[in-house]
Amino acid sequence: MTLRMAVPNKGRLNERSVELLLKSGLDLGEEWGRRLYVSARNQDIEIMFVRAQDIPELVNSGAIDIGITGLDQVAESGYPLENVLNLEFGYCRLSVAVPESSGIRRVEDIPAGCRVATSFPQATGRFFEARGKDVRVVLVSGAAEIMPYLGVSDIIVDLVSSGSTLKMNRLLEIGTIVKSQAAMVTTKDTLRERSKEIEDIVNSVRSVIDAEGRKYLMADVPRSRLKEVERMLPGIGGPTVMEIAGRPDMVAIHVVISKNEIYGAINDLKRIGAQGILTLPIDRLVQ
Ligand code: AMP
């Protein structure tokens, strides 16, 4: 049976979501940018392009088997969806912010009756209710930052990533409701009924994310320094060591290494007399 998958059709999460699916090996043909849905040519998977904020509803109702959306949207929906894979992009947080001039510095100090402008009314309502705070939620569909200055609200709850928009609008972040990133989500029922298909897509996408964070490093190192190299570059299961024809003094090593370690590794290798140091990108890494 075809696996139905929902992907954000535009906005911040669209491009990287599609990139991950393409890199994980799904062939979406040429038309995917112009269509509301496409069938993968090489797998029994149908991809629907819909708004990120509609995806929790579609997944929860069972209309869609698995979706990519922000965890902020999942929190807002209130549905008990299963997060099967953090996608490590779209990082942001849903935060409470107050005008710097308000004098409020802690969530506990927010006065009763305070008006909160937000496009996340459910998550906001639940957050303040859990703290016994009686606030009035003012629903806006965007630009919450401007609402205190228009006199429409006293404080806001909005998505923050770097915090520069808040700063520009002289708002102070005083609390976090949800820490978010893009994720693949499904339901308990779908996870049980379609476990193999879900596992396959999750493993494929995970292998792309894991590979992107790493490089394949090759170098010829003095045989006498091999023990040091093994300590320096443990890799996934230790470096692969190979003989080099006609060079009894040297061995070739191959190792998978984190991108963050490349800079140090190359310099360390050079220092112990390594030659022919080469790094290559990795497409997929299945552990
Ligand atoms: P869209 O409104 O379609 O661009 O998608 C918004 C989604 O992108 C949100 O639900 C978040 O999951 C994610 N996101 C990441 N960083 C931010 C940010 N700074 N502001 C708004 N949304 C963000």
Side-chain angles (χ1 to χ4, degrees), residues 114-137:
C114 191
R115 297 162 306 162
V116 191
T118 186
S119 37
F120 291 81
Q122 304 303 328
T124 300
R126 282 193 298 269
F127 176 80
F128 284 108
E129 206 179 302
R131 281 156 188 77
K133 286 264 169 222
D134 191 16
V135 299
R136 258 180 52 211
V137 173

Short mmCIF file of all heavy atoms in Angstrom, two decimals, residues 114-137:
data_model
loop_
_atom_site.label_atom_id
_atom_site.label_comp_id
_atom_site.label_asym_id
_atom_site.label_seq_id
_atom_site.Cartn_x
_atom_site.Cartn_y
_atom_site.Cartn_z
N CYS A 114 -3.27 40.07 31.37
CA CYS A 114 -2.33 40.51 30.34
C CYS A 114 -2.76 40.00 28.96
O CYS A 114 -3.22 38.87 28.83
CB CYS A 114 -0.97 39.91 30.73
SG CYS A 114 0.38 40.56 29.81
N ARG A 115 -2.63 40.87 27.94
CA ARG A 115 -3.00 40.44 26.58
C ARG A 115 -1.76 39.93 25.84
O ARG A 115 -0.75 40.63 25.77
CB ARG A 115 -3.63 41.61 25.81
CG ARG A 115 -4.94 42.10 26.43
CD ARG A 115 -5.28 43.47 25.92
NE ARG A 115 -4.17 44.39 26.14
CZ ARG A 115 -4.02 45.56 25.51
NH1 ARG A 115 -4.91 45.95 24.62
NH2 ARG A 115 -2.99 46.34 25.76
N VAL A 116 -1.88 38.71 25.28
CA VAL A 116 -0.74 38.05 24.61
C VAL A 116 -1.05 37.88 23.13
O VAL A 116 -1.97 37.14 22.77
CB VAL A 116 -0.48 36.64 25.20
CG1 VAL A 116 0.86 36.11 24.70
CG2 VAL A 116 -0.53 36.66 26.71
N ALA A 117 -0.29 38.57 22.27
CA ALA A 117 -0.50 38.39 20.82
C ALA A 117 0.32 37.20 20.35
O ALA A 117 1.50 37.08 20.66
CB ALA A 117 -0.05 39.64 20.07
N THR A 118 -0.31 36.29 19.60
CA THR A 118 0.40 35.10 19.13
C THR A 118 -0.35 34.43 17.99
O THR A 118 -1.57 34.60 17.86
CB THR A 118 0.57 34.07 20.28
OG1 THR A 118 1.38 33.01 19.79
CG2 THR A 118 -0.74 33.52 20.78
N SER A 119 0.40 33.69 17.18
CA SER A 119 -0.27 32.82 16.20
C SER A 119 -0.25 31.38 16.71
O SER A 119 -0.51 30.45 15.95
CB SER A 119 0.36 32.97 14.82
OG SER A 119 1.74 33.14 14.91
N PHE A 120 0.10 31.21 17.97
CA PHE A 120 0.10 29.88 18.60
C PHE A 120 -0.84 29.90 19.81
O PHE A 120 -0.39 29.77 20.96
CB PHE A 120 1.53 29.51 19.03
CG PHE A 120 2.46 29.24 17.89
CD1 PHE A 120 3.06 30.29 17.21
CD2 PHE A 120 2.71 27.95 17.46
CE1 PHE A 120 3.91 30.06 16.15
CE2 PHE A 120 3.56 27.70 16.39
CZ PHE A 120 4.16 28.76 15.72
N PRO A 121 -2.15 30.07 19.58
CA PRO A 121 -3.06 30.26 20.71
C PRO A 121 -3.16 29.05 21.65
O PRO A 121 -3.26 29.22 22.86
CB PRO A 121 -4.41 30.53 20.03
CG PRO A 121 -4.29 29.94 18.66
CD PRO A 121 -2.84 30.12 18.28
N GLN A 122 -3.09 27.84 21.07
CA GLN A 122 -3.29 26.65 21.92
C GLN A 122 -2.09 26.44 22.85
O GLN A 122 -2.26 26.27 24.06
CB GLN A 122 -3.50 25.38 21.08
CG GLN A 122 -4.65 25.47 20.09
CD GLN A 122 -5.97 25.78 20.78
OE1 GLN A 122 -6.20 25.38 21.94
NE2 GLN A 122 -6.83 26.49 20.09
N ALA A 123 -0.89 26.47 22.26
CA ALA A 123 0.32 26.25 23.06
C ALA A 123 0.45 27.36 24.11
O ALA A 123 0.83 27.11 25.26
CB ALA A 123 1.55 26.20 22.16
N THR A 124 0.12 28.58 23.70
CA THR A 124 0.21 29.72 24.62
C THR A 124 -0.79 29.56 25.76
O THR A 124 -0.44 29.71 26.94
CB THR A 124 -0.08 31.03 23.85
OG1 THR A 124 0.89 31.16 22.81
CG2 THR A 124 -0.02 32.24 24.76
N GLY A 125 -2.03 29.22 25.40
CA GLY A 125 -3.08 29.05 26.40
C GLY A 125 -2.68 27.98 27.43
O GLY A 125 -2.78 28.20 28.64
N ARG A 126 -2.18 26.86 26.92
CA ARG A 126 -1.80 25.76 27.82
C ARG A 126 -0.64 26.17 28.72
O ARG A 126 -0.60 25.83 29.90
CB ARG A 126 -1.42 24.52 27.00
CG ARG A 126 -2.63 23.74 26.47
CD ARG A 126 -2.21 22.37 25.97
NE ARG A 126 -1.28 22.47 24.86
CZ ARG A 126 -1.63 22.51 23.58
NH1 ARG A 126 -2.90 22.44 23.25
NH2 ARG A 126 -0.72 22.60 22.63
N PHE A 127 0.32 26.90 28.15
CA PHE A 127 1.50 27.31 28.91
C PHE A 127 1.11 28.17 30.12
O PHE A 127 1.54 27.93 31.25
CB PHE A 127 2.46 28.08 27.99
CG PHE A 127 3.68 28.63 28.67
CD1 PHE A 127 4.77 27.82 28.94
CD2 PHE A 127 3.75 29.98 29.04
CE1 PHE A 127 5.91 28.33 29.54
CE2 PHE A 127 4.88 30.50 29.66
CZ PHE A 127 5.96 29.66 29.91
N PHE A 128 0.24 29.16 29.85
CA PHE A 128 -0.12 30.07 30.95
C PHE A 128 -1.08 29.41 31.93
O PHE A 128 -1.02 29.66 33.14
CB PHE A 128 -0.67 31.38 30.39
CG PHE A 128 0.41 32.27 29.85
CD1 PHE A 128 0.56 32.46 28.47
CD2 PHE A 128 1.31 32.89 30.71
CE1 PHE A 128 1.58 33.27 27.98
CE2 PHE A 128 2.33 33.71 30.22
CZ PHE A 128 2.47 33.88 28.85
N GLU A 129 -1.94 28.56 31.40
CA GLU A 129 -2.89 27.85 32.28
C GLU A 129 -2.13 26.99 33.28
O GLU A 129 -2.44 26.97 34.47
CB GLU A 129 -3.80 26.99 31.41
CG GLU A 129 -5.15 26.73 32.07
CD GLU A 129 -6.01 25.89 31.15
OE1 GLU A 129 -6.26 26.32 30.01
OE2 GLU A 129 -6.40 24.79 31.59
N ALA A 130 -1.09 26.28 32.76
CA ALA A 130 -0.31 25.40 33.63
C ALA A 130 0.38 26.19 34.74
O ALA A 130 0.74 25.64 35.77
CB ALA A 130 0.73 24.65 32.80
N ARG A 131 0.57 27.50 34.51
CA ARG A 131 1.23 28.34 35.51
C ARG A 131 0.23 29.16 36.30
O ARG A 131 0.62 30.09 37.04
CB ARG A 131 2.26 29.25 34.83
CG ARG A 131 3.52 28.50 34.52
CD ARG A 131 4.32 29.09 33.40
NE ARG A 131 5.41 28.16 33.06
CZ ARG A 131 5.25 27.04 32.35
NH1 ARG A 131 4.06 26.71 31.88
NH2 ARG A 131 6.27 26.23 32.12
N GLY A 132 -1.04 28.83 36.12
CA GLY A 132 -2.09 29.52 36.87
C GLY A 132 -2.22 30.99 36.50
O GLY A 132 -2.65 31.81 37.31
N LYS A 133 -1.81 31.33 35.27
CA LYS A 133 -1.85 32.73 34.82
C LYS A 133 -3.08 32.95 33.96
O LYS A 133 -3.28 32.26 32.96
CB LYS A 133 -0.62 33.05 33.95
CG LYS A 133 0.63 33.18 34.73
CD LYS A 133 0.91 34.63 35.05
CE LYS A 133 2.03 34.73 36.05
NZ LYS A 133 1.80 35.72 37.07
N ASP A 134 -3.86 33.93 34.33
CA ASP A 134 -5.06 34.24 33.56
C ASP A 134 -4.70 35.32 32.54
O ASP A 134 -4.62 36.50 32.88
CB ASP A 134 -6.13 34.74 34.55
CG ASP A 134 -7.47 34.82 33.88
OD1 ASP A 134 -7.63 34.21 32.81
OD2 ASP A 134 -8.36 35.51 34.44
N VAL A 135 -4.44 34.91 31.29
CA VAL A 135 -4.09 35.90 30.26
C VAL A 135 -5.13 35.88 29.16
O VAL A 135 -5.91 34.92 29.05
CB VAL A 135 -2.69 35.61 29.65
CG1 VAL A 135 -1.60 35.67 30.69
CG2 VAL A 135 -2.68 34.27 28.93
N ARG A 136 -5.16 36.95 28.36
CA ARG A 136 -6.08 36.98 27.21
C ARG A 136 -5.27 36.82 25.93
O ARG A 136 -4.38 37.60 25.65
CB ARG A 136 -6.81 38.34 27.17
CG ARG A 136 -8.22 38.22 27.71
CD ARG A 136 -8.92 39.54 27.68
NE ARG A 136 -8.87 40.18 26.37
CZ ARG A 136 -8.86 41.50 26.20
NH1 ARG A 136 -8.89 42.30 27.24
NH2 ARG A 136 -8.84 42.02 24.99
N VAL A 137 -5.58 35.76 25.19
CA VAL A 137 -4.84 35.50 23.96
C VAL A 137 -5.44 36.30 22.81
O VAL A 137 -6.65 36.24 22.58
CB VAL A 137 -4.84 33.99 23.64
CG1 VAL A 137 -4.21 33.73 22.27
CG2 VAL A 137 -4.08 33.22 24.71
#
